[in-house]
Amino acid sequence: MGLTPVPEGHLATVVTTLEMRERPRLAPMPPSELRLVRWEQPTLPRYRTLFARIGAPWLWYSRLVMADAALAKIIHDPKVSVYAAVDRAGIEVGFLELDHRHDGICELAYFGLVPERVGRGDGRWLMANALMLGWGREVTRLWVHTCTLDHHRALDFYRRSGFTAFRRTMETFPDPRITGILPPETAPQIPLLAPASRR
């Protein structure tokens, strides 16, 4: 067993892919003060703003750098559904994105809450909605992935929600804090390594 060096300026993460092969049994909707709002043809700035508010603490950045045309092609596809979780003041504090572009399969492409709402029970409510909407068509498989850069309870949350892990992969990518996509102070729980020239 050996260690594989991560290129300078890059991050490495273990990605776990999970799936659900059977529609879950009906259960009472967990309580939450939030409401779910379908975003029809969301504008790219609006989508990216919420994406960053939710994902920056976990270094989500892919949708921030994706070409406008490529992103619009995904989130404006009629088989892709984007929902915002909105609080009583009308502020968007969470979202989920369901991708039904492959027959019989739904990907829970993105799922999350702003940091201030984590740990308050809203995740269970949001997941209950995701499962209800994800299985709403002729679906035989619902899948999602998470990684070791996500919240430390994310993997266990997905498993408790009924997903089963079936694959692990490694991913390396340039640290978005070094490339300037995200501010250097983002995700302080993940060390930002200085370049060798500064050590």
Side-chain angles (χ1 to χ4, degrees):
M1 182 173 66
L3 300 177
T4 302
V6 176
E8 185 171 297
H10 284 59
L11 291 169
T13 184
V14 177
V15 179
T16 300
T17 306
L18 306 98
E19 66 180 359
M20 191 180 290
R21 290 279 185 173
E22 294 182 3
R23 186 184 304 268
R25 294 181 179 178
L26 288 175
M29 181 66 69
S32 175
E33 66 176 24
L34 304 180
R35 60 189 174 89
L36 203 62
V37 177
R38 171 80 184 268
W39 276 3
E40 300 282 356
Q41 300 276 311
T43 66
L44 302 190
R46 185 183 191 196
Y47 176 93
R48 285 180 170 137
T49 296
L50 187 56
F51 181 93
R53 285 179 55 220
I54 292 168
W58 321 112
L59 299 183
W60 295 6
Y61 75 96
S62 61
R63 296 289 174 87
L64 303 179
V65 298
M66 184 178 287
D68 288 353
L71 179 56
K73 184 176 180 181
I74 296 171
I75 66 173
H76 294 166
D77 190 298
K79 292 186 177 180
V80 174
S81 306
V82 179
Y83 295 84
V86 180
D87 69 12
R88 289 178 178 172
I91 299 170
E92 293 143 353
V93 296
F95 91 135
L96 59 91
E97 182 178 322
L98 297 164
D99 187 338
H100 285 96
R101 288 178 293 172
H102 297 283
D103 291 344
I105 298 172
C106 176
E107 178 188 3
L108 178 52
Y110 287 99
F111 174 96
L113 295 160
V114 295
E116 299 81 11
R117 301 296 305 200
V118 173
R120 298 171 58 172
D122 296 318
R124 292 190 300 276
W125 169 84
L126 190 60
M127 178 56 74
N129 278 281
L131 296 179
M132 179 181 66
L133 294 164
W135 285 99
R137 305 185 188 191
E138 295 299 318
V139 170
T140 59
R141 177 176 179 257
L142 181 66
W143 70 279
V144 66
H145 68 267
T146 186
C147 74
T148 50
L149 297 178
D150 281 338
H151 191 284
H152 66 277
R153 293 198 298 266
L155 179 57
D156 184 54
F157 173 78
Y158 287 129
R159 293 167 75 180
R160 284 188 286 108
S161 298
F163 289 92
T164 300
F166 71 93
R167 183 174 65 220
R168 248 184 232 107
T169 51
M170 289 288 298
E171 180 183 9
T172 60
F173 55 91
D175 191 324
R177 299 167 297 181
I178 292 175
T179 59
I181 298 164
L182 295 173
E185 64 274 12
T186 304
Q189 76 279 9
I190 302 166
L192 182 59
L193 302 181
S197 59
R198 296 184 187 174
R199 292 198 290 269

